[in-house]
Amino acid sequence: MRILYTLFIRLYTLLLRLASVRSEKARQWLKGRRNWQQKLEEAVETSGRGEMLVWFHVSSLGEFEQGRPVIEAFRKRWPGRNILLTFFSPSGYEIRKNYDQADIVCYLPADTPGNVNRFLDIVRPGMIFFVKYDFWFNYIHAIHQREIPLYYLSALFRPGQHFFRWYGGWFRKHLRMASHYFVQNAESQELLQKTGITGVTLTGDTRFDRVFEIALHPKPLPLVERFCQGKPLLVMGSSWEPDEAVCAPLIRRAGPDLKVIVAPHDTSPGRIRSIREQLCMPATLLSGLTEENAGSADILVIDSVGLLSQLYRFATVAFIGGGFGAGIHNIQEPVTFGVPVLFGPRFGKFREACDLVALGGAFAVNTPQEAEEKVMRLFDDSEAHRRASEVCRRYVEENRGATEKVIRFLEPVSTSRQP
Protein backbone atom coordinates (compact mmCIF):
# COMPACT_ATOMS: atom_id res chain seq x y z
CA MET A 1 0.00 0.00 0.00
CA ARG A 2 2.85 2.39 0.77
CA ILE A 3 4.20 1.90 -2.75
CA LEU A 4 0.82 2.81 -4.25
CA TYR A 5 0.52 5.84 -1.98
CA THR A 6 3.99 7.06 -2.95
CA LEU A 7 3.17 6.55 -6.64
CA PHE A 8 0.09 8.70 -6.12
CA ILE A 9 2.20 11.48 -4.57
CA ARG A 10 4.62 11.34 -7.52
CA LEU A 11 1.73 11.43 -9.98
CA TYR A 12 0.23 14.40 -8.14
CA THR A 13 3.53 16.26 -8.45
CA LEU A 14 3.71 15.44 -12.14
CA LEU A 15 0.19 16.75 -12.68
CA LEU A 16 1.15 19.97 -10.93
CA ARG A 17 4.05 20.36 -13.34
CA LEU A 18 1.65 20.02 -16.25
CA ALA A 19 -0.84 22.39 -14.63
CA SER A 20 1.87 24.99 -14.00
CA VAL A 21 1.78 25.89 -17.69
CA ARG A 22 -1.52 27.69 -17.00
CA SER A 23 -1.91 27.83 -13.23
CA GLU A 24 -0.05 30.47 -11.22
CA LYS A 25 -0.79 28.57 -7.99
CA ALA A 26 0.80 25.39 -9.39
CA ARG A 27 3.84 27.41 -10.49
CA GLN A 28 4.19 28.83 -6.98
CA TRP A 29 3.86 25.34 -5.47
CA LEU A 30 6.73 24.05 -7.61
CA LYS A 31 8.89 27.17 -7.38
CA GLY A 32 8.62 27.26 -3.60
CA ARG A 33 9.97 23.71 -3.35
CA ARG A 34 12.84 24.17 -5.79
CA ASN A 35 16.19 23.54 -4.05
CA TRP A 36 14.29 23.09 -0.81
CA GLN A 37 17.03 21.01 0.80
CA GLN A 38 19.73 23.65 0.38
CA LYS A 39 17.42 26.47 1.47
CA LEU A 40 16.31 24.54 4.56
CA GLU A 41 19.88 23.68 5.57
CA GLU A 42 20.84 27.34 5.32
CA ALA A 43 17.77 28.42 7.29
CA VAL A 44 18.45 25.94 10.09
CA GLU A 45 22.09 26.99 10.27
CA THR A 46 21.20 30.69 10.30
CA SER A 47 18.51 30.34 12.94
CA GLY A 48 20.71 28.31 15.26
CA ARG A 49 19.32 25.69 17.57
CA GLY A 50 17.76 26.55 20.88
CA GLU A 51 16.87 23.94 23.45
CA MET A 52 14.80 22.14 20.82
CA LEU A 53 13.34 22.76 17.38
CA VAL A 54 9.55 22.40 17.36
CA TRP A 55 7.83 21.88 14.02
CA PHE A 56 4.30 23.10 13.25
CA HIS A 57 2.73 22.13 9.92
CA VAL A 58 -0.41 23.65 8.37
CA SER A 59 -2.06 23.11 5.03
CA SER A 60 -3.01 26.69 4.16
CA LEU A 61 -4.07 30.02 5.61
CA GLY A 62 -7.16 28.74 7.43
CA GLU A 63 -5.22 26.02 9.22
CA PHE A 64 -2.49 28.54 10.04
CA GLU A 65 -5.07 30.67 11.84
CA GLN A 66 -6.10 27.57 13.79
CA GLY A 67 -2.53 26.73 14.73
CA ARG A 68 -1.45 30.30 15.37
CA PRO A 69 -2.80 30.62 18.94
CA VAL A 70 -0.88 27.49 19.96
CA ILE A 71 2.31 28.61 18.20
CA GLU A 72 2.23 31.94 20.00
CA ALA A 73 1.29 30.44 23.36
CA PHE A 74 4.06 27.85 22.94
CA ARG A 75 6.58 30.58 22.09
CA LYS A 76 5.56 32.56 25.15
CA ARG A 77 5.74 29.54 27.49
CA TRP A 78 8.97 28.07 26.08
CA PRO A 79 10.87 31.01 24.51
CA GLY A 80 14.11 29.03 24.10
CA ARG A 81 12.61 26.62 21.55
CA ASN A 82 13.12 27.33 17.87
CA ILE A 83 9.94 27.08 15.80
CA LEU A 84 9.68 25.78 12.25
CA LEU A 85 6.44 26.47 10.36
CA THR A 86 5.67 24.65 7.11
CA PHE A 87 2.87 25.17 4.60
CA PHE A 88 1.51 22.86 1.94
CA SER A 89 -0.33 25.52 -0.06
CA PRO A 90 1.04 28.68 -1.70
CA SER A 91 -2.07 30.60 -0.63
CA GLY A 92 -0.94 30.21 2.98
CA TYR A 93 2.81 30.46 2.53
CA GLU A 94 2.83 33.56 0.34
CA ILE A 95 0.78 35.52 2.87
CA ARG A 96 2.54 34.32 6.05
CA LYS A 97 6.12 33.64 4.89
CA ASN A 98 7.33 36.55 7.05
CA TYR A 99 5.47 35.46 10.19
CA ASP A 100 7.67 36.70 13.02
CA GLN A 101 6.71 34.11 15.63
CA ALA A 102 8.47 31.33 13.71
CA ASP A 103 12.23 31.09 13.25
CA ILE A 104 11.88 29.29 9.91
CA VAL A 105 8.93 29.38 7.48
CA CYS A 106 9.01 27.17 4.39
CA TYR A 107 7.05 24.80 2.17
CA LEU A 108 6.58 21.16 3.11
CA PRO A 109 8.46 18.97 0.58
CA ALA A 110 6.33 16.43 -1.28
CA ASP A 111 5.57 13.32 0.78
CA THR A 112 7.99 10.84 -0.81
CA PRO A 113 10.25 8.65 1.37
CA GLY A 114 13.42 10.35 0.11
CA ASN A 115 12.12 13.84 0.78
CA VAL A 116 10.76 12.84 4.18
CA ASN A 117 14.03 11.39 5.46
CA ARG A 118 16.13 14.26 4.13
CA PHE A 119 13.75 16.78 5.69
CA LEU A 120 13.79 15.09 9.11
CA ASP A 121 17.58 14.65 9.00
CA ILE A 122 18.02 18.40 8.48
CA VAL A 123 15.39 19.60 10.93
CA ARG A 124 15.72 16.96 13.71
CA PRO A 125 12.56 18.19 15.49
CA GLY A 126 11.94 17.38 19.12
CA MET A 127 8.17 17.78 18.86
CA ILE A 128 5.78 18.00 15.90
CA PHE A 129 2.30 19.48 15.53
CA PHE A 130 0.05 18.95 12.50
CA VAL A 131 -3.09 21.09 12.34
CA LYS A 132 -6.61 19.76 11.76
CA TYR A 133 -6.49 17.04 9.08
CA ASP A 134 -3.27 17.15 7.12
CA PHE A 135 -2.35 13.46 6.94
CA TRP A 136 0.88 12.76 5.04
CA PHE A 137 1.42 9.06 5.56
CA ASN A 138 5.12 8.79 4.69
CA TYR A 139 5.86 11.63 7.08
CA ILE A 140 3.73 10.03 9.79
CA HIS A 141 5.46 6.67 9.32
CA ALA A 142 8.98 8.14 9.45
CA ILE A 143 8.14 10.31 12.46
CA HIS A 144 6.83 7.25 14.28
CA GLN A 145 9.95 5.22 13.40
CA ARG A 146 12.15 7.97 14.81
CA GLU A 147 10.02 8.10 17.98
CA ILE A 148 9.32 11.82 17.68
CA PRO A 149 6.12 12.95 19.46
CA LEU A 150 3.47 13.94 16.90
CA TYR A 151 0.37 15.88 17.97
CA TYR A 152 -2.71 16.85 15.98
CA LEU A 153 -4.29 20.21 16.83
CA SER A 154 -8.01 20.94 16.34
CA ALA A 155 -8.43 17.55 14.66
CA LEU A 156 -11.85 16.82 13.21
CA PHE A 157 -13.16 13.41 12.12
CA ARG A 158 -16.40 12.22 10.53
CA PRO A 159 -17.79 8.68 10.17
CA GLY A 160 -17.63 8.79 6.37
CA GLN A 161 -13.88 9.39 6.17
CA HIS A 162 -11.72 6.64 4.69
CA PHE A 163 -10.13 5.99 8.10
CA PHE A 164 -13.38 4.45 9.28
CA ARG A 165 -14.45 2.51 6.16
CA TRP A 166 -14.00 -1.23 5.66
CA TYR A 167 -10.97 -0.60 3.45
CA GLY A 168 -9.34 1.86 5.85
CA GLY A 169 -7.06 -0.47 7.80
CA TRP A 170 -3.81 0.95 6.38
CA PHE A 171 -4.95 4.50 7.08
CA ARG A 172 -6.12 3.64 10.62
CA LYS A 173 -2.71 2.12 11.32
CA HIS A 174 -1.17 5.52 10.66
CA LEU A 175 -3.72 7.24 12.89
CA ARG A 176 -2.36 5.12 15.74
CA MET A 177 1.18 6.39 15.07
CA ALA A 178 0.40 9.89 16.35
CA SER A 179 1.18 10.54 20.01
CA HIS A 180 -1.98 12.49 20.84
CA TYR A 181 -5.02 14.13 19.26
CA PHE A 182 -6.56 17.39 20.45
CA VAL A 183 -10.01 17.16 18.85
CA GLN A 184 -12.78 19.67 18.20
CA ASN A 185 -15.81 17.63 19.21
CA ALA A 186 -17.07 14.55 21.02
CA GLU A 187 -17.84 12.72 17.77
CA SER A 188 -14.17 12.87 16.77
CA GLN A 189 -13.14 11.63 20.20
CA GLU A 190 -15.54 8.69 19.99
CA LEU A 191 -14.46 7.72 16.47
CA LEU A 192 -10.81 7.61 17.47
CA GLN A 193 -11.50 5.71 20.67
CA LYS A 194 -13.50 3.08 18.75
CA THR A 195 -10.36 2.37 16.69
CA GLY A 196 -8.38 1.78 19.88
CA ILE A 197 -6.76 5.22 20.10
CA THR A 198 -6.76 6.41 23.71
CA GLY A 199 -4.49 9.44 23.35
CA VAL A 200 -7.33 11.88 22.71
CA THR A 201 -8.30 15.11 24.47
CA LEU A 202 -11.46 17.06 23.70
CA THR A 203 -10.32 20.69 23.56
CA GLY A 204 -12.56 22.33 20.98
CA ASP A 205 -11.31 24.46 18.09
CA THR A 206 -8.28 26.68 18.73
CA ARG A 207 -9.48 29.05 16.01
CA PHE A 208 -12.07 30.46 18.37
CA ASP A 209 -9.18 31.78 20.46
CA ARG A 210 -7.69 33.39 17.37
CA VAL A 211 -10.85 35.14 16.19
CA PHE A 212 -11.53 36.39 19.72
CA GLU A 213 -8.03 37.89 19.80
CA ILE A 214 -8.71 39.63 16.45
CA ALA A 215 -11.91 41.12 17.85
CA LEU A 216 -10.07 42.45 20.89
CA HIS A 217 -7.45 44.27 18.79
CA PRO A 218 -9.13 45.84 15.75
CA LYS A 219 -6.95 47.63 13.22
CA PRO A 220 -7.89 51.20 12.27
CA LEU A 221 -9.55 51.33 8.85
CA PRO A 222 -10.64 54.97 8.48
CA LEU A 223 -11.52 54.79 4.77
CA VAL A 224 -13.71 51.72 5.32
CA GLU A 225 -15.43 53.48 8.22
CA ARG A 226 -16.09 56.46 5.99
CA PHE A 227 -17.52 54.12 3.35
CA CYS A 228 -19.90 52.49 5.85
CA GLN A 229 -21.34 55.77 7.24
CA GLY A 230 -23.30 53.81 9.84
CA LYS A 231 -25.69 52.38 7.23
CA PRO A 232 -26.79 48.71 7.11
CA LEU A 233 -23.86 46.73 5.68
CA LEU A 234 -23.76 43.33 4.02
CA VAL A 235 -20.28 41.78 3.90
CA MET A 236 -19.78 38.91 1.47
CA GLY A 237 -16.74 37.01 2.69
CA SER A 238 -14.67 34.52 0.66
CA SER A 239 -17.34 34.53 -2.02
CA TRP A 240 -17.47 32.59 -5.28
CA GLU A 241 -19.60 33.21 -8.39
CA PRO A 242 -22.68 31.24 -7.14
CA ASP A 243 -22.69 33.18 -3.87
CA GLU A 244 -22.55 36.49 -5.70
CA ALA A 245 -25.31 35.35 -8.07
CA VAL A 246 -27.61 34.60 -5.11
CA CYS A 247 -26.99 38.00 -3.55
CA ALA A 248 -26.87 40.13 -6.71
CA PRO A 249 -30.69 40.62 -7.08
CA LEU A 250 -30.92 41.78 -3.45
CA ILE A 251 -28.03 44.20 -3.91
CA ARG A 252 -29.50 45.67 -7.11
CA ARG A 253 -32.97 46.15 -5.58
CA ALA A 254 -31.70 47.65 -2.31
CA GLY A 255 -29.63 50.24 -4.14
CA PRO A 256 -28.19 53.10 -2.02
CA ASP A 257 -30.15 52.01 1.08
CA LEU A 258 -27.67 49.15 1.54
CA LYS A 259 -23.89 49.25 1.73
CA VAL A 260 -22.09 46.15 0.42
CA ILE A 261 -18.54 44.86 0.76
CA VAL A 262 -17.58 41.97 -1.51
CA ALA A 263 -14.39 40.17 -0.48
CA PRO A 264 -13.99 37.30 -2.97
CA HIS A 265 -11.97 34.18 -2.24
CA ASP A 266 -10.06 34.75 -5.47
CA THR A 267 -8.85 38.33 -5.92
CA SER A 268 -7.32 37.90 -9.37
CA PRO A 269 -8.09 40.69 -11.89
CA GLY A 270 -10.38 38.39 -13.88
CA ARG A 271 -12.54 37.57 -10.86
CA ILE A 272 -12.73 41.21 -9.79
CA ARG A 273 -13.87 42.15 -13.29
CA SER A 274 -16.48 39.36 -13.25
CA ILE A 275 -17.93 40.59 -9.93
CA ARG A 276 -18.33 44.13 -11.19
CA GLU A 277 -20.02 42.90 -14.36
CA GLN A 278 -22.41 40.60 -12.47
CA LEU A 279 -23.58 43.32 -10.08
CA CYS A 280 -24.39 45.66 -12.98
CA MET A 281 -23.83 48.59 -10.60
CA PRO A 282 -20.95 50.98 -9.92
CA ALA A 283 -18.45 49.36 -7.57
CA THR A 284 -15.32 50.86 -6.04
CA LEU A 285 -12.18 48.79 -5.53
CA LEU A 286 -10.42 48.95 -2.20
CA SER A 287 -7.22 49.86 -4.05
CA GLY A 288 -9.05 52.89 -5.45
CA LEU A 289 -10.83 53.99 -2.26
CA THR A 290 -10.01 57.58 -1.26
CA GLU A 291 -11.27 60.26 1.11
CA GLU A 292 -13.08 61.81 -1.83
CA ASN A 293 -15.04 58.75 -3.05
CA ALA A 294 -15.43 56.69 0.15
CA GLY A 295 -18.57 58.46 1.31
CA SER A 296 -20.41 58.28 -2.00
CA ALA A 297 -19.62 54.63 -2.86
CA ASP A 298 -22.28 51.98 -2.19
CA ILE A 299 -20.37 48.83 -3.16
CA LEU A 300 -16.77 48.14 -2.17
CA VAL A 301 -14.89 45.23 -3.78
CA ILE A 302 -11.81 44.01 -1.92
CA ASP A 303 -9.04 43.36 -4.44
CA SER A 304 -6.37 42.26 -1.95
CA VAL A 305 -5.99 39.58 0.73
CA GLY A 306 -5.51 39.60 4.49
CA LEU A 307 -8.15 42.18 5.45
CA LEU A 308 -11.40 40.21 5.63
CA SER A 309 -11.24 39.30 9.33
CA GLN A 310 -11.09 43.02 10.17
CA LEU A 311 -13.95 43.99 7.86
CA TYR A 312 -16.56 41.85 9.61
CA ARG A 313 -16.73 44.20 12.58
CA PHE A 314 -18.53 46.75 10.38
CA ALA A 315 -21.12 44.25 9.11
CA THR A 316 -24.80 44.10 9.98
CA VAL A 317 -25.06 40.71 8.25
CA ALA A 318 -22.40 38.52 6.61
CA PHE A 319 -22.82 36.13 3.70
CA ILE A 320 -20.09 33.47 3.76
CA GLY A 321 -19.01 31.94 0.46
CA GLY A 322 -18.48 28.33 -0.52
CA GLY A 323 -21.89 26.96 0.41
CA PHE A 324 -22.81 26.26 -3.19
CA GLY A 325 -19.53 24.47 -3.84
CA ALA A 326 -17.22 22.26 -1.79
CA GLY A 327 -18.33 23.76 1.52
CA ILE A 328 -18.51 27.06 3.37
CA HIS A 329 -15.49 29.07 4.42
CA ASN A 330 -14.74 30.26 7.93
CA ILE A 331 -17.74 31.68 9.78
CA GLN A 332 -15.99 32.17 13.12
CA GLU A 333 -14.55 35.55 12.18
CA PRO A 334 -17.91 37.34 11.69
CA VAL A 335 -19.57 35.41 14.50
CA THR A 336 -17.03 36.64 17.05
CA PHE A 337 -18.22 40.20 16.32
CA GLY A 338 -21.80 39.11 16.90
CA VAL A 339 -22.63 39.27 13.19
CA PRO A 340 -25.42 36.89 12.02
CA VAL A 341 -24.28 34.83 9.03
CA LEU A 342 -25.88 33.38 5.91
CA PHE A 343 -24.48 30.78 3.54
CA GLY A 344 -25.43 28.23 0.90
CA PRO A 345 -26.75 24.71 1.60
CA ARG A 346 -23.43 22.84 1.81
CA PHE A 347 -22.51 23.43 5.42
CA GLY A 348 -23.09 20.01 6.99
CA LYS A 349 -19.39 19.22 7.48
CA PHE A 350 -18.85 22.28 9.65
CA ARG A 351 -19.78 21.86 13.30
CA GLU A 352 -20.05 25.54 14.15
CA ALA A 353 -22.33 26.17 11.15
CA CYS A 354 -24.65 23.30 12.14
CA ASP A 355 -24.68 24.48 15.75
CA LEU A 356 -25.46 28.09 14.88
CA VAL A 357 -28.20 27.17 12.41
CA ALA A 358 -29.85 25.16 15.18
CA LEU A 359 -29.40 28.00 17.66
CA GLY A 360 -30.63 30.75 15.34
CA GLY A 361 -27.42 32.68 14.76
CA ALA A 362 -26.84 31.41 11.20
CA PHE A 363 -29.15 30.80 8.24
CA ALA A 364 -28.81 28.58 5.16
CA VAL A 365 -30.31 29.75 1.87
CA ASN A 366 -30.83 28.08 -1.49
CA THR A 367 -32.21 30.82 -3.72
CA PRO A 368 -31.96 34.59 -4.27
CA GLN A 369 -35.47 34.93 -2.85
CA GLU A 370 -34.48 33.20 0.39
CA ALA A 371 -31.33 35.29 0.66
CA GLU A 372 -33.29 38.53 0.24
CA GLU A 373 -35.94 37.47 2.75
CA LYS A 374 -33.40 36.52 5.43
CA VAL A 375 -31.15 39.54 4.93
CA MET A 376 -33.97 42.10 4.89
CA ARG A 377 -35.58 40.59 7.99
CA LEU A 378 -32.30 40.95 9.88
CA PHE A 379 -31.95 44.52 8.62
CA ASP A 380 -35.55 45.57 9.33
CA ASP A 381 -36.33 43.67 12.53
CA SER A 382 -33.97 44.97 15.20
CA GLU A 383 -35.13 42.41 17.77
CA ALA A 384 -34.51 39.49 15.39
CA HIS A 385 -31.06 40.87 14.67
CA ARG A 386 -30.32 41.33 18.37
CA ARG A 387 -31.28 37.74 19.18
CA ALA A 388 -29.17 36.30 16.36
CA SER A 389 -26.24 38.52 17.30
CA GLU A 390 -26.40 37.45 20.94
CA VAL A 391 -26.43 33.78 19.91
CA CYS A 392 -23.25 34.33 17.92
CA ARG A 393 -21.40 36.17 20.69
CA ARG A 394 -22.38 33.60 23.31
CA TYR A 395 -21.33 30.73 21.04
CA VAL A 396 -17.81 32.11 20.64
CA GLU A 397 -17.50 32.79 24.35
CA GLU A 398 -18.56 29.24 25.21
CA ASN A 399 -16.09 27.71 22.73
CA ARG A 400 -12.98 29.63 23.71
CA GLY A 401 -10.12 28.11 25.69
CA ALA A 402 -8.81 25.29 23.48
CA THR A 403 -5.30 26.78 23.35
CA GLU A 404 -5.02 26.88 27.12
CA LYS A 405 -6.07 23.21 27.32
CA VAL A 406 -3.38 22.22 24.81
CA ILE A 407 -0.61 24.14 26.60
CA ARG A 408 -1.69 22.74 29.96
CA PHE A 409 -1.47 19.19 28.55
CA LEU A 410 1.96 19.86 27.04
CA GLU A 411 3.41 21.40 30.21
CA PRO A 412 4.92 18.21 31.68
CA VAL A 413 5.64 16.72 28.24
CA SER A 414 7.48 19.69 26.73
CA THR A 415 9.32 20.56 29.92
CA SER A 416 10.75 17.04 30.16
CA ARG A 417 11.79 16.79 26.48
CA GLN A 418 15.44 17.46 25.75
CA PRO A 419 17.13 18.00 22.33
Side-chain angles (χ1 to χ4, degrees):
M1 185 64 182
R2 190 168 307 283
I3 293 173
L4 290 175
Y5 171 76
T6 303
L7 285 173
F8 169 79
I9 296 295
R10 294 189 187 280
L11 177 60
Y12 178 80
T13 305
L14 176 61
L15 291 174
L16 281 173
R17 292 187 185 281
L18 296 174
S20 67
V21 176
R22 294 188 176 183
S23 168
E24 175 61 25
K25 189 172 182 179
R27 283 194 292 274
Q28 287 180 326
W29 194 97
L30 293 167
K31 181 181 177 181
R33 288 165 171 80
R34 198 172 298 149
N35 300 321
W36 70 263
Q37 185 173 342
Q38 179 184 345
K39 289 187 285 190
L40 184 59
E41 287 172 345
E42 291 172 356
V44 170
E45 184 177 350
T46 301
S47 68
R49 289 189 181 275
E51 298 174 34
M52 180 200 300
L53 190 144
V54 180
W55 171 25
F56 288 84
H57 171 69
V58 300
S59 176
S60 191
L61 191 59
E63 290 75 25
F64 167 77
E65 292 296 333
Q66 276 180 309
R68 182 173 181 167
V70 179
I71 294 173
E72 294 178 2
F74 195 100
R75 168 75 89 186
K76 184 176 181 179
R77 175 60 187 85
W78 294 283
R81 311 288 170 89
N82 279 10
I83 291 178
L84 163 70
L85 172 64
T86 59
F87 286 88
F88 174 77
S89 168
S91 58
Y93 174 80
E94 293 300 327
I95 295 173
R96 296 301 181 192
K97 59 187 175 184
N98 296 316
Y99 176 55
D100 62 1
Q101 294 300 299
D103 300 284
I104 304 168
V105 183
C106 65
Y107 281 100
L108 180 73
D111 189 22
T112 62
N115 283 348
V116 168
N117 286 309
R118 285 192 294 272
F119 181 87
L120 293 175
D121 285 343
I122 295 168
V123 174
R124 291 185 285 120
M127 301 175 74
I128 301 170
F129 297 87
F130 283 9
V131 177
K132 200 171 182 179
Y133 43 47
D134 235 28
F135 293 95
W136 298 108
F137 298 110
N138 284 329
Y139 275 102
I140 293 171
H141 182 252
I143 289 166
H144 178 69
Q145 285 189 318
R146 295 177 185 229
E147 299 183 344
I148 306 170
L150 169 62
Y151 303 92
Y152 270 87
L153 300 172
S154 294
L156 190 62
F157 296 95
R158 297 181 301 276
Q161 288 174 301
H162 54 276
F163 298 112
F164 312 111
R165 299 291 185 90
W166 63 268
Y167 55 81
W170 187 80
F171 303 103
R172 286 194 296 275
K173 180 177 74 172
H174 287 77
L175 283 184
R176 298 186 186 103
M177 292 179 184
S179 303
H180 202 87
Y181 291 89
F182 301 102
V183 297
Q184 293 190 31
N185 57 21
E187 181 183 47
S188 298
Q189 185 178 36
E190 291 167 6
L191 285 168
L192 290 175
Q193 289 175 341
K194 284 179 180 177
T195 69
I197 297 172
T198 57
V200 187
T201 300
L202 175 57
T203 58
D205 188 351
T206 53
R207 184 149 189 175
F208 281 105
D209 299 324
R210 173 61 185 156
V211 296
F212 188 78
E213 183 70 16
I214 291 172
L216 286 179
H217 301 97
K219 295 179 181 178
L221 297 170
L223 287 180
V224 175
E225 287 191 50
R226 181 167 170 75
F227 163 80
C228 295
Q229 293 186 322
K231 290 186 177 181
L233 172 65
L234 171 67
V235 173
M236 298 188 65
S238 297
S239 62
W240 297 92
E241 290 93 334
D243 307 299
E244 293 143 11
V246 163
C247 291
L250 157 67
I251 294 169
R252 287 194 289 266
R253 271 194 288 274
D257 295 329
L258 173 67
K259 294 279 187 174
V260 179
I261 294 179
V262 184
H265 186 76
D266 176 5
T267 58
S268 64
R271 274 288 289 125
I272 298 298
R273 186 166 53 251
S274 172
I275 291 167
R276 301 178 86 175
E277 291 171 354
Q278 185 175 60
L279 292 175
C280 300
M281 295 174 65
T284 302
L285 301 183
L286 178 65
S287 59
L289 196 65
T290 65
E291 283 284 350
E292 288 71 30
N293 64 16
S296 59
D298 293 319
I299 300 173
L300 180 63
V301 178
I302 309 302
D303 54 348
S304 59
V305 296
L307 194 61
L308 180 56
S309 62
Q310 294 291 333
L311 295 174
Y312 284 125
R313 75 177 187 266
F314 302 107
T316 310
V317 177
F319 193 105
I320 307 303
F324 294 94
I328 61 171
H329 293 284
N330 172 40
I331 70 169
Q332 293 161 321
E333 289 172 345
V335 166
T336 196
F337 290 107
V339 177
V341 292
L342 282 76
F343 36 72
R346 296 183 181 174
F347 66 92
K349 294 181 180 179
F350 303 89
R351 177 181 66 93
E352 60 273 15
C354 296
D355 289 348
L356 284 167
V357 166
L359 293 168
F363 308 89
V365 299
N366 291 277
T367 66
Q369 292 75 22
E370 288 181 2
E372 183 170 358
E373 178 189 341
K374 291 286 195 307
V375 169
M376 295 314 297
R377 179 167 182 265
L378 289 166
F379 281 158
D380 296 338
D381 187 338
S382 59
E383 180 58 23
H385 186 276
R386 187 198 65 76
R387 288 196 301 269
S389 179
E390 180 58 29
V391 165
C392 293
R393 291 183 189 278
R394 188 166 59 246
Y395 186 77
V396 171
E397 183 63 34
E398 290 173 353
N399 282 276
R400 287 172 52 215
T403 301
E404 182 182 349
K405 293 175 185 176
V406 171
I407 295 299
R408 198 161 55 231
F409 178 93
L410 294 173
E411 185 77 39
V413 181
S414 184
T415 303
S416 66
R417 296 277 306 169
Q418 297 297 323

